[in-house]
Amino acid sequence: MKHYKMMKKLLLVSILLLLIVGTVLAYSTTFSSNPIKSEKIKVVATFYPLAYLAEKIGGERVSVYTLIPYNVEVHNWQPSPSDIMTIENSDIIILNGAGLDWWFESEILPLINISGKIIVNTTEGLPLILHNNQYDPHTWLSPYMAKLQAEKILSALIKKDPLGEKYYKERFKEIESKLNEIDEKYLIELKNKKRDIIIVSHEAFGYLAERYGFKQIGIIGISAEEEPNPRLILEIIELMKKYNLTTLYFDPIYSDKYVKMIKNELENKLGINVNVLKIYLCLGPIDNKDYFEQLEENLESLKKGLVE
Ligand SMILES: [Zn+2]
């Protein structure tokens, strides 16, 4: 009888012990992962190229959230209430500026508490191009401009997290030399052009055009969702004849319906083969290519239309 009582007591004690050990273990595992996560600098970037740069520079010290989903139309995008919550809980907000994330100032800024937050307009003070009295916002497609934007991200990270300065600077150096290398490649490989005009589905390549010495003509114009009108098609035919062009460029995120329509019409009316080449807007990973790989691929595509 006494023995049985002892056993029962022992069993109870061991169950209790197991419970305590279990709780402590569970507690410590959540805690061992959580503090690291919560200590990270919370960065919100409006769209992919900025998030890409912030991740490359910030590495393990940051967690980066991208507001605009990958590979969607960026010019007309607007935030949802949950996006506003995410922004409210962030430490650093990275904007493209130049009119791209226009909704930030009008729809988000009045709703959030900005104290303690750093808001970075990555194109502020940069040599922006004016297009029809508006700034051309497509800076990230130029490796040269992207490098200047990356510098702004670096400064913001150091300001928010001075202990990470050395870490961020080292990582930035890699980004900087990679972007310099791509810029250099563009400069050298687009030097001896046979043609200096490209026809594109979206006029997003103004910064490349300016730096590497060519012109862009948009089929759809500055907004990506307008249908080309017949007059515009005739205009393109005239331009293709005048400048002896055989190539059309389009970004694979958009439907190539219009481009194909134009290609067929041009081939009928001009009696030539018209090449349709990809040119990336770098709005998300696509075709298994990240931002840098898309910048590099764009050069290959431009070479085919301008140099070869
Ligand atoms: Zn655009």
Side-chain angles (χ1 to χ4, degrees), residues 73-75 100 136-138 140-141 202-204 222-224 254 281 283:
E73 160 61 44
V74 285
H75 297 288
L100 187 90
D136 182 340
H138 306 94
W140 69 93
L141 290 164
H202 178 51
E203 279 186 358
I222 203 87
S223 123
Y254 296 119
L281 293 173
L283 300 176

Side-chain angles (χ1 to χ4, degrees), residues 73-88:
E73 160 61 44
V74 285
H75 297 288
N76 301 316
W77 188 85
Q78 283 189 56
S80 71
S82 78
D83 294 321
I84 294 162
M85 286 292 292
T86 308
I87 295 167
E88 179 68 66

Side-chain angles (χ1 to χ4, degrees), residues 186-244:
Y186 268 84
L187 283 168
I188 292 166
E189 295 182 14
L190 293 179
K191 211 172 189 176
N192 301 312
K193 289 182 280 297
K194 285 184 188 157
R195 289 164 289 272
D196 59 1
I197 288 178
I198 61 167
I199 298 179
V200 290
S201 59
H202 178 51
E203 279 186 358
F205 306 92
Y207 291 91
L208 294 182
E210 192 196 46
R211 186 160 175 85
Y212 309 115
F214 60 91
K215 287 190 189 86
Q216 64 169 346
I217 299 167
I219 298 173
I220 306 175
I222 203 87
S223 123
E225 285 177 350
E226 284 165 45
E227 250 185 79
N229 60 54
R231 212 176 60 198
L232 199 57
I233 293 177
L234 280 176
E235 205 180 296
I236 293 164
I237 289 176
E238 287 309 306
L239 285 167
M240 288 190 93
K241 275 189 194 161
K242 188 176 172 191
Y243 297 107
N244 201 20

